[in-house]
């Protein structure tokens, strides 16, 4: 922590309180709207871009939470991101786990 910040416990208390009240999401949404308006766009986007990435899981990650991406031949997890056309993050919900990603593969 920088020297001009209060004690870490006090900073963490604010962080925890803001997180519990959803202020981080509110700040993010407000700032995203201001950036979009600054670019001459509407505050709320009408289009989005979805991307997925396969991430190798460490050996310490439980097998129940790992899957296998057959297209990339990567064991691990998939993570998804949604952005607007300016590249600003959009809130998203993780897709439900399907049997294809939740079931570990067995060697034949």
């Amino acid at each position: 922590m920088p020297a001009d910040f209060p004690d870490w416990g006090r900073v963490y208390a604010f962080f925890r309180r803001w997180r519990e009240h959803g202020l981080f999401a509110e700040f993010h949404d407000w700032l995203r709207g201001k950036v979009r308006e600054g670019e001459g766009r509407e505050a709320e986007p009408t289009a989005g871009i979805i991307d997925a990435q396969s991430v190798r899981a460490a050996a310490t990650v439980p097998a129940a939470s790992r899957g296998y991406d057959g297209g990339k031949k990567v064991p691990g997890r998939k993570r998804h991101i949604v952005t607007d056309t300016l590249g600003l993050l959009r809130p998203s919900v993780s897709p439900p786990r399907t049997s294809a990603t939740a079931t570990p593969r067995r060697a034949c």
Side-chain angles (χ1 to χ4, degrees):
M1 298 283 290
D4 58 340
F5 273 46
D7 178 55
W8 77 269
R10 186 154 171 80
V11 173
Y12 182 71
F14 274 99
F15 165 76
R16 191 177 59 238
R17 192 174 318 138
W18 289 356
R19 185 186 59 202
E20 289 170 358
H21 289 99
L23 289 177
F24 283 115
E26 190 175 328
F27 292 154
H28 182 264
D29 294 344
W30 182 81
L31 287 171
R32 184 182 58 241
K34 291 296 179 187
V35 169
R36 289 185 57 81
E37 288 171 352
E39 293 288 324
R41 308 228 181 170
E42 294 289 326
E44 285 298 316
T46 57
I49 301 165
I50 303 171
D51 194 15
Q53 181 180 25
S54 297
V55 182
R56 292 187 188 275
T60 57
V61 175
S65 68
R66 287 184 293 182
Y68 184 78
D69 184 345
K72 295 181 180 177
K73 297 185 169 109
V74 175
R77 295 179 172 171
K78 272 194 137 15
R79 58 183 172 197
H80 300 80
I81 189 170
V82 180
T83 65
D84 65 8
T85 55
L86 293 176
L88 302 173
L89 286 176
R90 295 286 302 156
S92 63
V93 177
S94 297
R97 290 177 49 190
T98 62
S99 60
T101 59
T103 306
R105 303 284 180 167
R106 287 185 281 156
C108 296

